[in-house]
Amino acid sequence: MNTKQKAGRYQRIYDQLKGLMEKPGNTMSKLATIAAVLHHKMDYFFWTGFYFLDGGELIAGPYQGPVACQLLEKNKGVCWAAINQQKSLVVANVHEFPGHIACDSRSNSEIVIPLRNTDGMIIGVMDVDSKELNSFDETDREGLEKILKLVQIKQLTINS
Ligand code: SME
């Protein structure tokens, strides 16, 4: 898939998700819907989901794909690096990333986008893994950041 095709696919997914986000639900159901749509529309997404900050821990939220770590060791790996650096990270080869946490040995590249609440505070991350090296680029970063802005998160609780 070339850059133009990828951008077009993100636009179509964005349009679909925009409609879905207007339907009744809560933050958790909306994030679960985002993970499901992306996972099934993007053939290179091997694991697609969320980790939430909870009492200083990073804990798995809604996701699609193989079983993943429920808790990520603090300040280790790509997800924690995105939180600590407060920015999206694109990792071409996870095996070269210091401290990378391999929840599934088949993952080879990864993108992590910080998830913010309406006050701009980071409350977790969206994480996507691919089985191929070098799957993610600026088009993925822009596409995913735009999709996450569809969800206005005041406070994240199981009932929110
Ligand atoms: N690889 C991530 C851990 C989460 S799994 O990829 C689902 C990391 O290094 O933070």
Side-chain angles (χ1 to χ4, degrees), residues 51-71:
Y51 279 91
F52 300 130
L53 283 169
D54 183 2
E57 312 263 32
L58 208 41
I59 316 266
Y63 68 87
Q64 300 265 325
V67 174
C69 319
Q70 294 196 65
L71 186 151

Side-chain angles (χ1 to χ4, degrees), residues 77-94:
V78 188
C79 293
W80 271 107
I83 285 178
N84 292 333
Q85 294 174 34
Q86 302 191 34
K87 63 175 192 185
S88 300
L89 293 179
V90 173
V91 180
N93 180 350
V94 295

Side-chain angles (χ1 to χ4, degrees), residues 47 51 68 72 77-79 100-101 103 110 127 129:
W47 192 93
Y51 279 91
L72 300 178
V78 188
C79 293
H100 166 254
I101 300 170
C103 296
E110 181 163 1
D127 180 16
D129 288 7

Side-chain angles (χ1 to χ4, degrees), residues 44 77-82 85 87-101 107-113 126-138 140-141 144:
Y44 56 104
V78 188
C79 293
W80 271 107
Q85 294 174 34
K87 63 175 192 185
S88 300
L89 293 179
V90 173
V91 180
N93 180 350
V94 295
H95 309 291
E96 290 174 356
F97 192 95
H100 166 254
I101 300 170
S107 293
N108 278 310
S109 59
E110 181 163 1
I111 185 169
V112 178
I113 314 282
M126 171 168 224
D127 180 16
V128 185
D129 288 7
S130 165
K131 285 204 270 191
E132 312 300 324
L133 291 166
N134 209 10
S135 282
F136 305 104
D137 55 24
E138 281 302 291
D140 296 277
R141 186 184 62 73
L144 294 174

